Amino acid sequence: MAILNIEPNIAQPDDFYEALIDMHRDLDAEQSRMANAHLILLLANHVGDEAVLREAMQRARALVPTSSDASRSPA
């Protein structure tokens, strides 16, 4: 069974980030969301392991602050 690799694994991370930003260039917000959704589905298909994908989804969700987190932050 495969495990989710959370260690840095991109040979040229700055180049990848630049390409990711370029992918969104000249797109409006809705088109950008659609491009992200398509990219996620393409990469999920490439990974193919449902357990790894579920762990990645769980970890990604945990990194997103919720409205209850905002209400707990000091003023």
Side-chain angles (χ1 to χ4, degrees):
M1 179 173 151
I3 60 170
L4 180 65
N5 180 5
I6 59 171
E7 296 301 318
N9 194 35
I10 299 173
Q12 301 292 326
D14 292 338
D15 293 343
F16 169 75
Y17 185 73
E18 184 177 344
L20 186 60
I21 296 303
D22 285 345
M23 181 184 88
H24 292 271
R25 196 170 317 284
D26 301 322
L27 300 180
D28 64 28
E30 181 60 22
Q31 291 169 320
S32 184
R33 284 189 291 273
M34 289 175 67
N36 279 336
H38 289 303
L39 178 60
I40 289 165
L41 292 173
L42 287 165
L43 293 173
N45 184 65
H46 178 75
V47 170
D49 186 308
E50 188 173 346
V52 171
L53 294 169
R54 287 185 179 275
E55 182 182 352
M57 289 186 292
Q58 184 179 40
R59 286 176 175 267
R61 176 66 188 255
L63 293 171
V64 176
T66 64
S67 58
S68 61
D69 293 337
S71 66
R72 284 187 264 155
S73 47

